[in-house]
Amino acid sequence: MSLSDRDILSRKLAVGDIHGCLKSLKKLLKLVKPERGDQVILLGDYVDRGPNSRGVIDYLLNWPWEAELICLKGNHEMIMEDSVLSNEHFAYWCDVGGIETVVSYNAKFDEIPKDHWEFIREGLAYYETKKVIYVHGGVDHKVPVEQQDRDELSWRRFPNAKKHHSGKLVVCGHTIQKRGLPVCKKH
């Protein structure tokens, strides 16, 4: 197979809301087997709620696959980043899953490594291709994605989503699906 054939066959694999579930992430990736030429687009929310946020970030920082990894920032990374601002911010983070994250760092906030903080800070607000906009929360259908509020891109909910003016497909995470299956609104 030539490189040009491989480019044609490359995949874009979007994964949302890992929430500290390293075993599930590894199982999923083992199933889809990302290869060189593929892109794995993680839609954010690597931390909180699950048992191994530290392990998830370590795994992503030491990405073992040949596929390109693209990491977006979810609202839980935003909350974690803000947790250092005040006791109120820290308490809110704990209320929404931060306790599990801190526990994964030997129950010591000060043991969160500098490279993990950098990973949290550097997550992209969105990723855009010729045909698709990838975002954690959602987009305002009337506004070009590059002009949208970064917080809104991570916090917006999915149920009332309308087709984006660009005509691009919008792929997002964040909104819980009661049946556990992706929802397709054809846009």
Side-chain angles (χ1 to χ4, degrees), residues 50-100:
N52 199 354
S53 294
R54 180 184 195 146
V56 168
I57 295 175
D58 278 336
Y59 185 77
L60 299 177
L61 288 172
N62 298 292
W63 184 242
W65 301 91
E66 289 189 28
E68 178 184 3
L69 177 64
I70 298 165
C71 296
L72 305 186
K73 183 185 283 191
N75 62 308
H76 281 265
E77 284 78 45
M78 295 174 86
I79 295 166
M80 181 178 174
E81 190 175 7
D82 288 348
S83 72
V84 301
L85 298 176
S86 69
N87 289 336
E88 291 80 18
H89 282 89
F90 183 77
Y92 177 66
W93 181 42
C94 290
D95 286 345
V96 297
I99 289 174
E100 291 89 340

Side-chain angles (χ1 to χ4, degrees), residues 145-160:
V145 69
E146 68 274 4
Q147 294 176 11
Q148 296 195 30
D149 180 82
R150 292 181 169 282
D151 288 351
E152 188 70 11
L153 293 171
S154 289
W155 283 94
R156 183 179 285 270
R157 290 288 178 187
F158 178 81
N160 299 319

Side-chain angles (χ1 to χ4, degrees), residues 96-160:
V96 297
I99 289 174
E100 291 89 340
T101 299
V102 174
V103 167
S104 76
Y105 290 96
N106 300 318
K108 297 178 182 172
F109 185 81
D110 293 339
E111 286 197 19
I112 301 173
K114 187 176 185 176
D115 61 338
H116 287 218
W117 283 113
E118 288 171 8
F119 175 84
I120 294 298
R121 277 192 299 277
E122 292 173 1
L124 302 173
Y126 66 93
Y127 177 68
E128 189 172 11
T129 68
K130 291 178 183 178
K131 296 181 180 179
V132 183
I133 299 168
Y134 298 90
V135 63
H136 178 69
V139 297
D140 181 332
H141 70 284
K142 297 178 186 174
V143 180
V145 69
E146 68 274 4
Q147 294 176 11
Q148 296 195 30
D149 180 82
R150 292 181 169 282
D151 288 351
E152 188 70 11
L153 293 171
S154 289
W155 283 94
R156 183 179 285 270
R157 290 288 178 187
F158 178 81
N160 299 319

Side-chain angles (χ1 to χ4, degrees), residues 34-53:
E35 305 175 343
R36 186 171 47 95
D38 291 342
Q39 288 183 319
V40 177
I41 302 115
L42 302 181
L43 302 174
D45 281 4
Y46 313 105
V47 299
D48 299 346
R49 299 184 179 147
N52 199 354
S53 294

